[in-house]
Amino acid sequence: EMEAKYTRKMQALRDEMDLRRKTEIHELEERKNTQISELMDNHEGAFGAIKNYYNDITAKNLTLISLLKEQVEDLKKKEAVLEKEKADVLLQNKQLTEPLQEARELVAELQKKLVHYYRDKEALTNSKAHLKITQKELKDLQWEHEVLEQRFSKVQAERDELYQKFTKAINEVQQKTGFKNLLLERKLKGFLSLLEQKEVELSEVITASNLDPSALSLVSHKLEDVLSSKNATIHDLQLQLARVCKAHNDMLQTFEAKLTAFGIPVDNLGFQPLSFPFPGQ
């Protein structure tokens, strides 16, 4: 029963599939026939357009050929006329050969003169331009000369004023430095004289007192301390004197350098600046 059932189902399915296949084939044939019909219509339309296009071209070519034939006839007529005119022109050329040669020689000579004229004209233009440039440079130089003269007068006045200030300053510094050096030297000489006097007095006291060696040693140590203090004071005074001398000499060198920078000879001072030697020199 099951086999018979499924046999019936299989037969029914086969019938259904055959019917569907036939339907699809029929639809495909209809679509194919429709496309074939459309293609044929399109091809017939394109063929008609191409046919009309080439018919137009053929008609235009025939018209152009007839037109060209007419133009050829006209050109032949014009050629005959031009041949006649050519013969006349050749005859006229033969008659005008000699005047033409003379005219060419005249033109060559005029061209040479024209070349010289252009050359002279260009030289004149360059000379005028150079003259303008030279005049402008002259005006600029005159203006610069006036400016430089004014600057020179101003610098000269500043130089004279600076010269006077430096001269006054060097005199004041020289006086102060000389006075200070003199005081330091006198002070140093006073200390040396006092030291010598104290040493003599100490020697006399030691000789007159007949001290024992321990007391003499104590006095000697105190004396050495005093001498060390005095020597330190003398050394400080010598260093101060050396610093003052160096500052004075540096100031003189700076002053001479300024005079040289402003173009003032040192001999124009009217006196010889005093340069102090350092202690020990």
Side-chain angles (χ1 to χ4, degrees):
E1 287 177 359
M2 289 180 65
E3 185 176 0
K5 182 180 179 180
Y6 280 104
T7 301
R8 288 193 299 271
K9 284 184 178 182
M10 182 67 69
Q11 185 65 35
L13 183 62
R14 282 180 180 176
D15 295 338
E16 183 181 357
M17 293 300 292
D18 287 337
L19 180 61
R20 184 182 297 177
R21 179 175 58 81
K22 290 178 180 178
T23 304
E24 289 178 355
I25 290 173
H26 181 69
E27 290 177 355
L28 286 174
E29 286 179 352
E30 288 182 353
R31 287 200 297 270
K32 180 186 70 172
N33 293 329
T34 303
Q35 290 180 355
I36 290 172
S37 177
E38 290 177 355
L39 287 174
M40 289 180 67
D41 293 337
N42 292 333
H43 288 169
E44 287 179 358
F47 178 75
I50 293 173
K51 184 177 179 181
N52 293 330
Y53 174 73
Y54 282 107
N55 288 332
D56 293 338
I57 292 176
T58 304
K60 289 179 181 179
N61 288 335
L62 292 174
T63 305
L64 182 61
I65 289 170
S66 61
L67 181 61
L68 290 175
K69 286 181 178 180
E70 293 177 358
Q71 291 179 357
V72 168
E73 293 294 332
D74 294 336
L75 289 175
K76 286 182 179 180
K77 293 177 181 179
K78 290 180 180 179
E79 185 180 2
V81 174
L82 290 174
E83 287 291 337
K84 184 178 179 181
E85 291 178 355
K86 178 182 176 183
D88 296 336
V89 169
L90 289 175
L91 182 60
Q92 291 178 2
N93 286 338
K94 289 181 180 179
Q95 294 175 356
L96 295 174
T97 300
E98 185 175 353
L100 178 62
Q101 185 64 28
E102 294 177 356
R104 285 179 178 175
E105 293 176 358
L106 181 60
V107 168
E109 185 177 356
L110 291 175
Q111 284 179 348
K112 290 181 181 178
K113 290 182 179 180
L114 183 63
V115 170
H116 291 297
Y117 169 74
Y118 285 143
R119 190 180 302 167
D120 295 338
K121 185 178 180 181
E122 185 178 0
L124 179 61
T125 304
N126 293 333
S127 300
K128 288 182 179 179
H130 185 67
L131 179 61
K132 289 182 180 179
I133 294 172
T134 305
Q135 288 177 350
K136 186 178 181 302
E137 290 178 353
L138 179 61
K139 289 181 181 179
D140 294 340
L141 289 174
Q142 288 176 350
W143 182 78
E144 289 180 1
H145 178 68
E146 293 178 359
V147 173
L148 289 175
E149 282 185 348
Q150 294 176 2
R151 289 177 62 187
F152 175 74
S153 300
K154 185 178 178 181
V155 171
Q156 195 172 18
E158 291 177 356
R159 183 201 66 179
D160 295 337
E161 183 181 357
L162 186 62
Y163 172 73
Q164 293 175 0
K165 289 182 180 179
F166 270 113
T167 304
K168 184 178 179 181
I170 195 68
N171 288 330
E172 292 177 358
V173 173
Q174 236 178 1
Q175 291 175 2
K176 292 179 181 179
T177 307
F179 181 71
K180 190 173 182 180
N181 289 342
L182 182 62
L183 290 178
L184 289 174
E185 288 179 356
R186 288 182 180 180
K187 192 174 182 180
L188 182 61
K189 288 181 181 179
F191 279 125
L192 291 175
S193 300
L194 182 62
L195 179 61
E196 291 177 357
Q197 183 179 356
K198 294 297 183 181
E199 286 179 351
V200 172
E201 291 177 358
L202 180 62
S203 299
E204 292 177 355
V205 169
I206 290 173
T207 303
S209 61
N210 293 321
L211 295 174
D212 57 350
S214 60
L216 182 61
S217 175
L218 180 61
V219 172
S220 297
H221 284 300
K222 290 183 178 180
L223 181 61
E224 287 178 357
D225 293 338
V226 172
L227 289 176
S228 298
S229 176
K230 297 299 181 182
N231 288 330
T233 303
I234 292 170
H235 183 67
D236 292 337
L237 290 174
Q238 287 178 346
L239 289 177
Q240 291 179 13
L241 180 61
R243 284 195 293 269
V244 171
C245 292
K246 185 177 185 305
H248 177 74
N249 293 335
D250 293 341
M251 185 268 298
L252 286 179
Q253 292 178 358
T254 304
F255 178 67
E256 291 177 357
K258 289 290 183 182
L259 291 178
T260 305
F262 283 99
I264 303 174
V266 182
D267 298 335
N268 291 345
L269 287 176
F271 63 92
Q272 180 67 31
L274 179 61
S275 177
F276 292 104
F278 294 109
Q281 293 182 348

